Every structure is written in structure tokens, then in C-alpha cells.
Amino acid sequence: MKINRILLSAALVVVALVVQVSVLSRLQLPGAVPDLVLLTVVALALVYGHVSGALIGFGAGLLSDLAPPADHAAGRYALVLCVIGYVAGLFRPEKGQLRSATGPMAVVVAAALGSTLLYAAVGALVGDTAARHVGLGFLLFTAALYDLLLAPFTVPAIMALARRAENDPLAETGTATDVSSGWLSSGTGLRIGAQRSGLRVKAARSRASRAGRIKGVKRL
């Protein structure tokens, strides 16, 4: 991995973990907990690809395993996020360009469901039956719901930062920002920037035509 990828990924994962432990874990919501660390791994994997996604997922999961108040064996969540980061990276958009928010939203839902299932499966292998007491179906539903509600406010911003750190031309032209705006406004990922450019062109044409009419009046 490039040094800028490592530094940015580490910083984002640490910030996500701090917010996760200090804020989200204390909300006492029914069922699962919104997983900001998972969303960070998914967002970075969608920009960097499956190999980097797996490495970032492993590192983020290991930090989560060691961060208090961890109550499970170290390496359990590292394995889960490593798999999730690898699979999410396989859905990296062609040429890094997002035409719609539907794809990333589907990846977020799949990641929430997959991470919950994998975590419960690994727990069952080591004798952890906590998921059975809460209800696996309810955990799956709440995990997908909470992550899907949190994703529009985190995933597009993280992807935009990752592209900018990569000196991606798409980031310089504002494509990432446009998709983020479209995701937040309507969930369709429409290119709001392109619409703004069209409005600017129309305004410039109207000013030019107005100036031409004024010149014509002066000549008369």
C-alpha cells in the first residue's frame, strides 16, 4: 500500500473507532449498534480495491478487538472485517466513477448482514452464544437498518477524502462530491455538479445575449 493510503486509512479508522466506542456504543439502541468502523472499511475498500480493503479491514478489526470494552477473543472481528474489506473491494466501481448511490448502498447492507453473520458464526465456533439470546434475525435487521441510516453521512465523505489523497482526477473535477450530494439529497447519486455547470452555461449565455441587445440599442 502507498504511504498516503496507510496514513489516511489509519487516521480514519482511529477516528471511527473513537466515535464508535465513545458515542455509538453508548446509545443503547435495541438490537445491534451502528458500526462506523465497518462503514469506514467499506468506503475505503470501494476506493482502494480488494487487497487494500482486506488489509485495512484486518487492521481496523484488530484495533476493535483490542479497544476497551472488548469482551471477545482478539482476532475475531479482525477476521470478519478482513473478509468484508476484501469482498467490498471487489465491487470497486470501474475507473473509480460512481454513477449512482444504489451500488454502494447495496454493498453497505450486504456488509452489515455479512459481518453480523460472520461474527455470530465465529462466536459459535468458540462457544459464544450471545447472538442466540438476542435473536439473530433481529440483530441482522437492526444492523442493516442502522448502518444504512448512517452510511449517507459517512461513506461518501470518506470516499471523497480517499480519492483526494490519491490525487484522483475524479476528485479534482468534483465527481466524488457530486455523488455524495446526490446520495444525501435523493439517494440516486445524480450528478448535481453537472446540473450546476449547465446552469452556469445558461446564465453566461443569457448575459451575453443581454449585452448584445444593449449594444444594438446604443448603435441605434
Side-chain angles (χ1 to χ4, degrees):
M1 291 177 63
K2 299 179 181 178
I3 186 66
N4 56 341
R5 289 188 180 185
I6 296 174
L7 293 176
L8 179 63
S9 300
L12 290 174
V13 167
V14 169
V15 171
L17 183 59
V18 170
V19 175
Q20 181 76 36
V21 173
S22 60
V23 179
L24 297 179
S25 297
R26 300 184 180 183
L27 293 178
Q28 296 182 348
L29 296 172
V33 176
D35 198 338
L36 184 57
V37 176
L38 172 69
L39 295 178
T40 302
V41 171
V42 169
L44 292 174
L46 288 174
V47 176
Y48 295 149
H50 59 282
V51 176
S52 296
L55 294 174
I56 295 170
F58 179 80
L62 189 59
L63 286 177
S64 300
D65 288 330
L66 299 177
D71 57 353
H72 55 267
R76 180 175 170 183
Y77 203 48
L79 173 62
V80 171
L81 285 188
C82 180
V83 174
I84 295 298
Y86 182 88
V87 175
L90 296 176
F91 294 90
R92 178 186 180 186
E94 186 178 357
K95 299 181 181 179
Q97 186 173 1
L98 288 173
R99 298 185 179 275
S100 171
T102 305
M105 290 175 71
V107 174
V108 166
V109 174
L113 297 176
S115 63
T116 305
L117 285 173
L118 282 174
Y119 189 83
V122 175
L125 292 176
V126 297
D128 184 359
T129 59
R132 297 180 183 176
H133 299 299
V134 179
L136 184 58
F138 185 61
L139 279 177
L140 290 171
F141 173 75
T142 52
L145 178 63
Y146 296 153
D147 289 347
L148 190 58
L149 291 176
L150 184 60
F153 304 98
T154 55
V155 174
I158 294 172
M159 292 179 68
L161 281 174
R163 284 201 180 103
R164 197 170 292 276
E166 288 282 289
N167 296 320
D168 194 327
L170 291 175
E172 296 176 0
T173 56
T175 303
T177 305
D178 296 340
V179 172
S180 305
S181 303
W183 194 342
L184 290 173
S185 62
S186 62
T188 58
L190 296 177
R191 296 185 181 181
I192 296 177
Q195 297 173 0
R196 290 175 180 171
S197 300
L199 292 176
R200 293 195 196 102
V201 172
K202 291 180 181 178
R205 289 177 180 174
S206 63
R207 286 196 296 270
S209 61
R210 197 180 310 133
R213 288 196 297 269
I214 293 174
K215 289 179 181 180
V217 172
K218 287 183 177 179
R219 290 175 183 173
L220 292 175

